[in-house]
Amino acid sequence: MSAIKCPPGIKVFNKIADFRQWRRSLLLEQKTLGYVPTMGALHQGHLALVTAAKKRCDHVALTVFVNPAQFAPTEDLSTYPRTLQSDLEKLASLGPGVTSAVLVPQVHEMYPAGIELDVSKQKGTFVEVLGLSQQLEGTTRPNFFRGVATVVSKFLNIVQPEHAFFGQKDIQQCFVIRDMIRDLHIPTKMHICPTVREESGLALSSRNVFLSPSQKKYALVLSQSLKHMESLYRSGTRDASTLLQAGIHLIENARKQVQETEDWELKLDYVSINSAKDLNEIKGDVPKEDGCVISMAVYVGKTRLIDNICLDVELDD
């Protein structure tokens, strides 16, 4: 950590034992702790979670950890942006006393048995939330939520926060963690905060840095198609197939435009309407009393973007 300049007022730990000692001091002072898990490359979406945490808690802690267990051997673990100094400066920009601590643990301490990207070669303890992990994102990335659930369970055990804050953009992840907290009786209250967007409507993501200007323009089709489907839903269209076809039509139009004018491809991975109770795919009419999640993934060039909208769903109290 010697190369990192720590902003005044923010404690930066890279050993779990040192963080736990600090955490114990808060307990002795009867101060509450809010927690925001991140993989770094912080943007305004992360900072909004920190701000929300500070409103509810005396102190806020973050973890910055690019988790190998949620990357497949073919995915972008080595190229995932790592910008710790910039991340700390962004946290400091929120003002004195907003962020109290940042834990930046080492891989060998988080995974004492080691961690292989190939699941068949892994050793040690892993957490899986059955029923929520194989659909949607799990179709393309079958072991992704196993890695997410494992690392978040580890961090909730290490940090022991009263409150934890997650962004709606990763809605399936939120459902997985919500059920994990419930099933494992973890004494943490989870909060799902609204997706933070650019003025254009593009959902903020650490992967947006990989988009060229023209790709960024066409990436707006995600939020545009979701808004279109929401508009139809609000005007009385409840048939899931009709809603999906309307959204797919906009994406297909954008795909054709890209094909005619650009040297990269825009490709739909999936778009789906799922129950807000259990993420089961909805066929037929959307039951208004349950609400639904409309989510999608689109490849914009080589960058895979996700977005979603929740209709008639209470995500947080």
Side-chain angles (χ1 to χ4, degrees):
M1 301 293 289
S2 56
I4 296 297
K5 185 177 180 183
C6 302
I10 300 179
K11 296 180 183 296
V12 180
F13 302 96
N14 71 337
K15 289 188 174 16
I16 292 170
D18 293 340
F19 178 89
R20 279 182 156 158
Q21 188 174 1
W22 172 78
R23 176 67 181 105
R24 179 168 169 74
S25 72
L26 301 190
L27 289 171
L28 294 173
E29 295 168 8
Q30 297 186 321
K31 301 293 186 183
T32 58
L33 180 62
Y35 168 52
V36 179
T38 82
M39 294 210 301
L42 302 188
H43 51 63
Q44 287 300 321
H46 297 109
L47 300 184
L49 296 178
V50 174
T51 301
K54 183 60 180 176
K55 286 178 180 176
R56 281 188 179 257
C57 305
D58 298 315
H59 292 273
V60 179
L62 291 86
T63 49
V64 173
F65 182 66
V66 181
N67 176 33
Q70 65 195 65
F71 288 81
T74 56
E75 291 179 334
D76 55 354
L77 175 61
S78 62
T79 59
Y80 195 89
R82 290 161 171 83
T83 56
L84 181 57
Q85 187 65 65
S86 170
D87 294 343
L88 293 173
E89 289 165 4
K90 287 175 182 175
L91 291 171
S93 74
L94 293 175
V98 177
T99 303
S100 295
V102 179
L103 172 61
V104 191
Q106 303 301 303
V107 172
H108 66 82
E109 195 173 13
M110 291 299 295
Y111 293 96
I115 182 67
E116 295 274 355
L117 297 190
D118 183 342
V119 170
S120 68
K121 297 178 181 177
Q122 289 176 351
K123 298 178 181 178
T125 304
F126 294 85
V127 177
E128 189 169 7
V129 180
L130 301 177
L132 291 174
S133 299
Q134 301 308 314
Q135 61 270 60
L136 302 173
E137 287 295 286
T139 303
T140 305
R141 311 176 76 189
N143 299 301
F144 174 74
F145 290 111
R146 179 178 181 267
V148 169
T150 297
V151 81
V152 173
S153 66
K154 287 172 183 273
F155 277 131
L156 290 175
N157 183 39
I158 293 163
V159 177
Q160 298 188 357
E162 282 82 9
H163 299 267
F165 297 80
F166 297 82
Q168 181 192 327
K169 188 180 81 69
D170 299 298
I171 190 64
Q172 187 176 4
Q173 172 177 286
C174 291
F175 276 62
V176 167
I177 293 166
R178 179 196 65 187
D179 281 18
M180 181 191 76
I181 287 172
R182 179 198 68 194
D183 293 349
L184 298 183
H185 302 283
I186 297 172
T188 297
K189 168 71 175 170
M190 178 182 179
H191 303 273
I192 302 174
C193 301
T195 300
V196 177
R197 300 179 180 277
E198 294 185 5
E199 212 171 300
S200 64
L202 181 65
L204 294 185
S205 167
S206 302
R207 289 190 166 97
N208 288 357
V209 298
F210 299 128
L211 299 173
S212 70
S214 73
Q215 288 172 341
K216 205 167 186 182
K217 179 182 76 172
Y218 281 106
L220 297 179
V221 74
L222 279 85
S223 59
Q224 289 167 351
S225 60
L226 287 169
K227 280 185 179 177
H228 181 50
M229 286 185 278
E230 179 185 21
S231 176
L232 290 174
Y233 177 87
R234 299 294 182 206
S235 65
T237 302
R238 289 286 184 273
D239 179 63
S241 177
T242 303
L243 294 170
L244 287 175
Q245 288 308 312
I248 291 169
H249 180 69
L250 291 185
I251 296 166
E252 178 62 15
N253 284 345
R255 186 194 68 78
K256 288 177 180 176
Q257 289 177 33
V258 168
Q259 190 175 38
E260 292 170 0
T261 61
E262 306 290 339
D263 58 358
W264 49 271
E265 289 185 331
L266 187 145
K267 185 175 68 171
L268 175 66
D269 187 353
Y270 70 83
V271 56
S272 183
I273 301 180
N274 298 72
S275 166
K277 292 197 302 184
D278 53 18
L279 289 187
N280 284 336
E281 186 177 1
I282 295 174
K283 298 184 185 293
D285 285 355
V286 177
K288 189 170 183 181
E289 63 274 12
D290 292 343
C292 69
V293 178
I294 306 179
S295 51
M296 64 173 58
V298 175
Y299 285 95
V300 182
K302 293 181 179 179
T303 304
R304 185 174 182 274
L305 301 178
I306 61 172
D307 203 350
N308 69 80
I309 193 163
C310 295
L311 302 177
D312 294 327
V313 181
E314 292 278 342
L315 289 178
D316 202 6
D317 56 19

